Amino acid sequence: MTKEKDNEDSKQTNIALKQTGEWEGFEVFSYSQSHVAQLYKDPKNAVLPRIAAEIKILEQLHAAGYPVPKPSHPIELNGRAGFLVEKIDGDILAVSIRNAPEHINVYSREFAQLHARLHQSRIVCEGGDENVRIAQRLEALRTLPDHKQSLIALGNNLYTTTCFCHFDFGPYHVLHRGHDYYVIDWGNAGYGDPMADVARTVFWLCSDYVPGIGPYLVTRTEKEAFVTAYLQAYQRQLPLDAQRFYRWLVIFAAIEYDTELQDEGPADDLDLLYAMITNFFEGKQGDYFQYLICD
């Protein structure tokens, strides 16, 4: 792209810009009728590598036929760096589930098929090594001194790189128009164990920490129904190793426990995570729902 063309795009974006919302490290803006701009709050130099990497991932996924919004190009607006993607005039799957919980089985099945399709595809994309990221998080644990070394050893026995994964795959990152689905927000994507990807999804499906399915499906029954149907549908597409899956849940529980205890302080749901970790290393595995869903 020429400098003149880049300047022209920036000018056009400034004219058409309409803010639609913001979340954590970035703000999202609508752009005309055909594009969406994601603009980061962090300094430009800090986010440029992330922007370039996510655009490349989207280009590779789009070229491989996996349903993602078509990427456009990097932009800089109002002193913030970001990038443009195709605008999808659809609904957030998490909201659709909240508004029509009677369709949980349908939504969970299609959600699982979309996830399994990614793991089946063996798509070759640029992306980080999730094993390295998780190992770094476990090494940096500030709490759980009695279990830290056991958690590190557990991770060392699980790390494998088998396919490209999203690593933040949830109904809050899926848009749909009828039965046409699109997966967004690939900033955490990389190579790793698909069972880790599935476990991370289940952890957040049960949890209320993020605006995922937890706050949308407000009852334990709804959460359990969605997760159960999702795992059953996934297993019809690909093998699901229950032992590896549970062990990954323990690792993600430890990482989240450490983060939340330091940032927010003690809470009932953190007590449940601590019990899950402790019981696992004492040989008492249990039903993960009792640890991950706080009534």
Side-chain angles (χ1 to χ4, degrees), residues 183-244:
V183 183
I184 63 172
D185 200 347
W186 293 81
N188 292 322
Y191 284 89
D193 184 355
M195 287 301 94
D197 201 18
V198 170
R200 196 179 194 285
T201 292
V202 168
F203 186 89
W204 292 121
L205 287 173
C206 293
S207 174
D208 288 334
Y209 290 121
V210 296
I213 208 167
Y216 287 105
L217 293 181
V218 296
T219 71
R220 170 179 288 272
T221 299
E222 289 173 336
K223 290 179 183 179
E224 290 188 13
F226 188 93
V227 170
T228 300
Y230 155 69
L231 291 176
Q232 289 174 344
Y234 181 94
Q235 194 160 17
R236 285 193 288 269
Q237 305 292 319
L238 286 172
L240 199 157
D241 186 328
Q243 185 181 67
R244 292 183 68 84

Side-chain angles (χ1 to χ4, degrees), residues 23-261:
W23 171 247
E24 286 192 350
F26 59 84
E27 295 187 7
V28 178
F29 294 82
S30 64
Y31 169 65
S32 75
Q33 297 297 314
S34 59
H35 290 82
V36 169
Q38 182 167 302
L39 302 177
Y40 288 84
K41 295 178 180 179
D42 295 332
K44 177 181 176 181
N45 290 339
V47 299
L48 285 179
R50 178 177 179 180
I51 290 167
E54 191 159 352
I55 289 175
K56 188 66 174 178
I57 287 171
L58 286 169
E59 288 174 342
Q60 292 168 320
L61 289 166
H62 189 267
Y66 192 77
V68 296
K70 184 178 180 181
S72 183
H73 62 270
I75 57 171
E76 183 178 349
L77 298 172
N78 303 329
R80 289 180 177 165
F83 63 96
L84 286 176
V85 295
E86 170 193 11
K87 182 179 179 182
I88 304 297
D89 289 319
D91 300 314
I92 300 171
L93 182 59
V95 176
S96 296
I97 296 167
R98 178 193 63 190
N99 292 338
E102 67 274 14
H103 298 315
I104 279 179
N105 286 336
V106 173
Y107 286 133
S108 60
R109 181 176 65 249
E110 295 182 336
F111 175 72
Q113 290 171 347
L114 193 63
H115 206 181
R117 178 180 169 186
L118 176 65
H119 295 159
Q120 285 173 314
S121 65
R122 305 301 177 188
I123 292 171
V124 178
C125 285
E126 294 187 4
D129 185 336
E130 184 66 6
N131 299 333
V132 171
R133 294 191 292 225
I134 292 173
Q136 290 173 341
R137 294 293 300 274
L138 293 178
E139 289 283 355
L141 288 177
R142 299 162 293 178
T143 59
L144 297 167
D146 295 340
H147 300 302
K148 180 174 179 177
Q149 294 307 315
S150 296
L151 287 161
I152 291 172
L154 181 63
N156 288 336
N157 288 327
L158 287 175
Y159 298 141
T160 183
T161 302
T162 57
C163 68
F164 190 75
C165 300
H166 188 280
F167 288 120
D168 203 1
F169 197 89
Y172 41 94
H173 285 152
V174 176
L175 304 176
H176 72 108
R177 293 185 298 215
H179 295 287
D180 293 327
Y181 289 81
Y182 302 84
V183 183
I184 63 172
D185 200 347
W186 293 81
N188 292 322
Y191 284 89
D193 184 355
M195 287 301 94
D197 201 18
V198 170
R200 196 179 194 285
T201 292
V202 168
F203 186 89
W204 292 121
L205 287 173
C206 293
S207 174
D208 288 334
Y209 290 121
V210 296
I213 208 167
Y216 287 105
L217 293 181
V218 296
T219 71
R220 170 179 288 272
T221 299
E222 289 173 336
K223 290 179 183 179
E224 290 188 13
F226 188 93
V227 170
T228 300
Y230 155 69
L231 291 176
Q232 289 174 344
Y234 181 94
Q235 194 160 17
R236 285 193 288 269
Q237 305 292 319
L238 286 172
L240 199 157
D241 186 328
Q243 185 181 67
R244 292 183 68 84
F245 164 74
Y246 195 94
R247 291 180 176 185
W248 279 119
L249 283 180
V250 171
I251 285 178
F252 292 131
I255 291 171
E256 190 58 29
Y257 175 88
D258 183 70
T259 301
E260 291 297 323
L261 186 63

